[in-house]
Amino acid sequence: MPAGMELFPAADDTAWELIKDVIESSDYYALIIGGRYGSLDEAGIGYTEKEYDYATSLKKPVIPLLHKEPDNLPRDKTETDGALWEKLRVFRAKVEKRHTCVYWTTADDLRAQVIIGVTSAIKRTPAVGWVRASEVPTEATLQEALALRKRVAELEAQIEATKTAPPPEAHTLMQGEDQFEIGCTFTATQQKSPYSSSGYKGTFHLSWNDIFAAVAPSMINESRQWNLRWAIQRFFEKRAKEQFEKNPKLTDATLKDFKFEDDLFDTCIVQFRALGLIKENKKVRSVKDTDTYWTLTPYGDYLMVNLRALHREQPEEKEVEKVVGALIAKRRPPPHIRKQLDLGFRLKGQSVEIFEIRPVWQGNGEMHELSVAKTTYIKTQQVWRLYWKRQDLKWHGYQPLPEVNTIEEALSEIDADPYACFWG
């Protein structure tokens, strides 16, 4: 806060006492000398020089700014009195002897030199500044402020973590590669004469990751509830058709008219919400618009990107294929019986599935797969989860060892099969 003679308010104190108070309260003293010595006190000393002497007696940092050529200033800006001019000359010499001075010639030059001088003085001799005593923080206040700052940092870190992690209670819910059973009815029409149509009923399974990855893009901005239900239904139809077309009885048939129970779609929406993947968009709308709108949460967006983004083939994938292939080679039956029993595996997304290959009973050479084990890499947690298929033909988490850190550990457990869950 600058303080100059022209800023001093009227007071009962003498002018000099007021000037002293201001100098004492100041952190720096800027001295500007032009072409005039200024008004004198009763002792015949100029107030500017008297201010300077008092500031130096208090050891205040001085910023001396002297006109470079006072002899060349216009007559109306210099002293015409010879005695005062001599006092000015002696004052300048005193200042130049005590300090390294900065010189200026124009008003703009002076303005720039003041800024540079004050900035330099602050760097060399930092000061407290003008602070009211009532505003000076106590030690307790500073400690409280530091504690609050630390707490804010912790909360910000927690908020960032929630953006890429499910809610705490979600660990008890079906999610990820857990399988969801879906029942449906459909019509199969033979493509050859007599072109008969028959109704069928069946079930198939999809992982929660598969379902979410299929419909999540529709909620990048927002999606009406009916539109989200329709997206789920179309995905179910697509996967159901792929599943049932594998049935030898339906190979030459056209499958259509797939129907699902309505509560299946509601179950998916509720599950996504419970897992912290979607939330209702509360944006203000027309009073006539009574639809429910859904949008992705930050965690939902994070999971969608991980599930849907195209990745380059990583060296780890080749390594996984190598180590799984080694296990299959170790456990495969001899070549002469592989037409009756063989082993295979497939890599699908982040999952590795191992299966037996056997001929279909009275299937005229057709072969089918019988699942042995599955392990899935969970990117967000950097672990491999193990699954085994029970009598209900669904994948279930392998409770004796739910997850491990490496694919080698997962395959070692599958190979050893201490509880006869995989190989029987």
Side-chain angles (χ1 to χ4, degrees):
M1 179 186 294
M5 285 289 290
E6 70 278 9
L7 301 177
F8 293 168
D12 294 333
D13 298 335
T14 64
W16 175 239
E17 292 301 320
L18 182 57
I19 292 172
K20 287 171 59 179
D21 288 343
V22 173
I23 293 174
E24 291 170 2
S25 303
S26 299
D27 294 317
Y28 308 98
Y29 180 78
L31 173 65
I32 301 175
I33 301 178
R36 290 180 176 172
Y37 185 63
S39 56
L40 307 177
D41 67 358
E42 295 177 354
I45 300 176
Y47 274 102
T48 302
E49 186 172 1
K50 195 172 182 178
E51 289 176 14
Y52 165 76
D53 290 339
Y54 187 68
T56 56
S57 71
L58 298 176
K59 301 187 181 305
K60 297 289 183 180
V62 177
I63 306 170
L65 304 158
L66 281 60
H67 195 283
K68 187 175 183 180
E69 299 173 340
D71 292 331
N72 295 331
L73 287 170
R75 184 176 179 80
D76 62 341
K77 296 185 182 298
T78 60
E79 292 290 1
T80 56
D81 185 302
L84 293 178
W85 180 260
E86 179 61 20
K87 287 180 180 289
L88 175 62
R89 188 190 65 76
V90 174
F91 180 32
R92 282 176 59 100
K94 180 171 68 174
V95 173
E96 289 175 320
K97 184 178 180 180
R98 292 181 178 179
H99 309 282
T100 300
C101 299
V102 176
Y103 298 92
W104 55 276
T105 54
T106 65
D108 288 339
D109 189 18
L110 175 60
R111 185 182 299 110
Q113 294 298 343
V114 168
I115 294 173
I116 294 172
V118 171
T119 303
S120 177
I122 292 174
K123 289 182 178 179
R124 289 198 309 270
T125 55
V128 175
W130 286 34
V131 180
R132 291 181 180 272
S134 60
E135 296 176 354
V136 177
T138 63
E139 181 67 21
T141 303
L142 291 175
Q143 291 298 328
E144 183 180 1
L146 290 174
L148 290 173
R149 178 180 294 181
K150 182 179 179 181
R151 181 57 179 159
V152 168
E154 292 174 352
L155 292 174
E156 288 177 343
Q158 290 178 14
I159 291 173
E160 285 300 314
T162 60
K163 292 181 179 180
T164 56
E169 63 277 8
H171 72 279
T172 62
L173 304 174
M174 294 185 68
Q175 59 187 291
E177 295 302 318
D178 295 337
Q179 300 293 300
F180 179 45
E181 183 178 80
I182 303 164
C184 67
T185 60
F186 61 94
T187 300
T189 302
Q190 297 297 325
Q191 297 178 1
K192 298 179 181 178
S193 179
Y195 306 104
S196 59
S197 296
S198 303
Y200 287 85
K201 182 178 181 181
T203 60
F204 62 101
H205 298 84
L206 294 174
S207 74
W208 286 102
N209 274 350
D210 284 342
I211 302 171
F212 181 71
V215 302
S218 67
M219 295 179 284
I220 290 177
N221 291 318
E222 65 177 13
S223 175
R224 283 186 168 92
Q225 178 148 317
W226 64 264
N227 192 48
L228 178 56
R229 288 166 59 91
W230 176 239
I232 297 172
Q233 180 175 336
R234 284 183 299 172
F235 179 63
F236 282 2
E237 289 178 1
K238 176 183 176 182
R239 286 303 182 87
K241 189 174 182 181
E242 292 173 357
Q243 178 70 24
F244 294 116
E245 280 179 343
K246 296 177 182 179
N247 189 320
K249 296 180 180 179
L250 302 175
T251 302
D252 297 324
T254 300
L255 310 185
K256 59 182 180 180
D257 299 332
F258 286 90
K259 292 182 172 56
F260 306 88
E261 295 291 336
D262 281 347
D263 63 351
L264 288 175
F265 311 129
D266 292 331
T267 297
C268 289
I269 294 173
V270 171
Q271 194 74 3
F272 294 153
R273 184 175 184 178
L275 292 172
L277 298 171
I278 66 174
K279 63 180 179 181
E280 187 177 350
N281 193 338
K282 297 290 187 178
K283 184 171 69 175
V284 177
R285 308 177 192 279
S286 166
V287 294
K288 295 182 180 180
D289 190 348
T290 59
D291 287 347
T292 299
Y293 292 79
W294 296 100
T295 188
L296 297 175
T297 63
Y299 171 53
D301 183 79
Y302 171 81
L303 182 61
M304 176 194 69
V305 170
N306 276 274
L307 293 173
R308 292 292 300 257
L310 301 178
H311 300 277
R312 293 179 179 177
E313 183 180 3
Q314 300 296 321
E316 295 81 28
E317 295 178 6
K318 294 182 178 179
E319 184 63 24
V320 168
E321 187 171 354
K322 179 180 177 181
V323 296
V324 178
L327 173 64
I328 297 302
K330 169 187 174 183
R331 297 196 64 106
R332 285 185 78 182
H336 66 278
I337 64 171
R338 289 178 185 172
K339 290 184 178 180
Q340 300 301 318
L341 174 63
D342 202 354
L343 288 179
F345 73 96
R346 69 170 59 89
L347 274 61
K348 182 180 179 183
Q350 302 299 312
S351 296
V352 177
E353 184 177 348
I354 300 173
F355 49 84
E356 292 181 346
I357 305 171
R358 296 174 178 268
V360 176
W361 177 252
Q362 295 181 341
N364 297 322
E366 294 180 35
M367 308 295 285
H368 69 155
E369 300 172 356
L370 298 176
S371 299
V372 172
K374 183 170 76 168
T375 181
T376 299
Y377 183 62
I378 309 301
K379 286 184 179 180
T380 55
Q381 301 175 31
Q382 297 185 341
V383 297
W384 288 85
R385 287 185 182 165
L386 281 78
Y387 300 88
W388 67 296
K389 187 166 283 191
R390 300 180 64 174
Q391 292 180 345
D392 59 5
L393 300 181
K394 299 178 184 178
W395 288 113
H396 293 265
Y398 179 64
Q399 294 304 317
L401 189 63
E403 56 189 41
V404 292
N405 294 322
T406 66
I407 182 64
E408 288 82 2
E409 291 177 90
L411 296 177
S412 176
E413 183 70 13
I414 293 171
D415 186 24
D417 195 14
Y419 300 95
C421 294
F422 304 119
W423 306 101

